[in-house]
Amino acid sequence: MLEARLEQAALLKKVVDAIKELVQECNFDCNDSGIGLQAMDNSHVALVSMFLKSESFSPFRCDRNIALGINLNALQKVLRAAQNEDILTLKAEDAPDVVNLVFENATADRISEYDLKLMDIDQEHLGIPDTDYAAQISMPSSEFQRITRDLSAISESVTIECNKEGVSFACEGDIGKGNIKLRQYTNVDKPAENVEVNMTEPVALTFALKYLGNFCKASGLSEQVRLCLSNEVPLMVEYALANNSYIRFYLAPKIGD
Amino acid sequence: TPIQNDLSEFFVMV
């Protein structure tokens, strides 16, 4: 059986908020190392890969592999009944028809319990190769969100270019063009504001802003975001969570002019 | 207009 207790319901609420635009139904794969999820959007352009390590829960128990097939819209409806600060416990039997969610408020005088029906989801699983990315950019997640939003007003696509000058986000549309350049920046007192650029070779790739905007819904999960790029491979956008848990998005590049 | 690639061109089904 599965029993996984989260100190704050906010984590699961934010995870669901972050992925439900991309994916409507998916399996939460539970095993003794934690709860994972991998799903592609309908158009097979973007993929979300999330893993909440067992250390992110206290306690965590999962005796055997269990796939919880969940409709994220339905899960979100149930999670709306949880306050951000509530303690959230997920429970399921070994071959479950439902997942049980319990929300306890901080003063433990209110306990809400919901059963969410599960579904059989036959999901394609992609092997993501380990990649030595040519460029890795870490920046405040709010900054990435702002760049994505601002450029979305101009164009459907953005070209992310990384060279020894730094990183630039450029787009061109009917009304004109825009370009945002970021340079390395270190703030010892506020490391969340740092911009770090590590590059082994120059990279320039074009991506659909619509999907980047979707990824940015995860901004509330982490103060920093990491963009990993290599020429001619999908972009990885990673939001690191506590205890080595993570939510990663992959986006296939656009090609040609 | 650039053409959108498909992810399955890069990642193999397992």
Side-chain angles (χ1 to χ4, degrees), chain A residues 44-45 47 125-127 232 234 252-256, chain B residues 1-8 10-14:
Chain A
H44 289 201
V45 169
L47 178 141
H125 204 84
L126 295 178
E232 292 168 32
K254 289 184 164 191
I255 45 159
Chain B
T1 313
I3 300 158
Q4 178 64 61
N5 269 307
D6 193 303
L7 261 191
S8 49
F10 304 95
F11 297 155
V12 194
M13 209 81 79
V14 291

Side-chain angles (χ1 to χ4, degrees), chain A:
Chain A
M1 69 169 285
L2 167 76
E3 185 169 348
R5 183 174 172 275
L6 272 179
E7 284 295 329
Q8 299 234 309
L11 178 65
L12 189 61
K13 286 166 77 92
K14 287 179 185 174
V15 164
V16 173
D17 285 345
I19 62 180
K20 74 176 283 286
E21 293 290 321
L22 281 177
V23 179
Q24 286 72 49
E25 293 169 351
C26 60
N27 283 322
F28 284 68
D29 296 310
C30 310
N31 59 44
D32 60 359
S33 55
I35 299 178
L37 174 160
Q38 192 210 77
M40 263 192 294
D41 81 305
N42 286 332
S43 57
H44 289 201
V45 169
L47 178 141
V48 53
S49 171
M50 177 214 75
F51 202 82
L52 301 177
K53 300 245 183 186
S54 58
E55 293 81 7
S56 292
F57 301 90
S58 176
F60 183 86
R61 178 188 163 192
C62 187
D63 307 321
R64 59 185 68 192
N65 296 359
I66 304 171
L68 304 175
I70 288 180
N71 176 303
L72 291 176
N73 197 36
L75 177 59
Q76 193 178 43
K77 284 181 182 172
V78 171
L79 287 175
R80 282 205 187 103
Q83 301 291 309
N84 282 338
E85 306 75 26
D86 282 358
I87 296 165
L88 183 156
T89 306
L90 294 169
K91 286 186 213 168
E93 302 295 332
D94 281 343
D97 296 322
V98 296
V99 58
N100 175 259
L101 297 100
V102 179
F103 313 137
E104 297 169 68
N105 67 356
T107 45
D109 56 347
R110 184 176 193 274
I111 299 171
S112 322
E113 190 168 352
Y114 292 83
D115 279 348
L116 180 67
K117 288 182 190 169
L118 299 174
M119 52 203 301
D120 283 325
I121 298 173
D122 188 16
Q123 209 155 29
E124 296 167 324
H125 204 84
L126 295 178
I128 300 165
D130 282 331
T131 306
D132 289 326
Y133 289 99
Q136 297 196 27
I137 303 138
S138 297
M139 69 168 86
S141 50
S142 56
E143 177 71 23
F144 181 55
Q145 186 170 34
R146 190 179 154 198
I147 291 169
T148 301
R149 188 196 59 213
D150 292 347
L151 296 186
S152 293
I154 311 271
S155 176
E156 290 180 355
S157 306
V158 59
T159 299
I160 305 178
E161 185 168 0
C162 197
N163 56 36
K164 59 183 190 317
E165 308 288 311
V167 56
S168 72
F169 300 82
C171 75
E172 192 162 354
D174 292 340
I175 63 162
K177 57 186 184 179
N179 190 332
I180 296 149
K181 289 191 177 73
L182 294 184
R183 293 202 179 90
Q184 189 121 337
Y185 170 77
T186 307
N187 187 327
V188 180
D189 297 325
K190 296 177 186 167
E193 295 180 5
N194 289 357
V195 176
E196 196 178 326
V197 181
N198 290 306
M199 190 201 71
T200 52
E201 58 178 298
V203 185
L205 284 165
T206 300
F207 299 101
L209 280 160
K210 178 180 79 168
Y211 292 98
L212 296 180
N214 274 331
F215 303 168
C216 286
K217 293 184 192 299
S219 300
L221 283 161
S222 180
E223 288 184 315
Q224 285 253 313
V225 63
R226 190 162 64 108
L227 312 183
C228 296
L229 302 110
S230 281
N231 285 316
E232 292 168 32
V233 305
L235 164 75
M236 181 179 83
V237 178
E238 180 185 63
Y239 296 85
L241 311 176
N243 305 108
N244 292 323
S245 296
Y246 60 81
I247 180 161
R248 293 175 186 152
F249 299 96
Y250 295 84
L251 179 60
K254 289 184 164 191
I255 45 159
D257 274 327

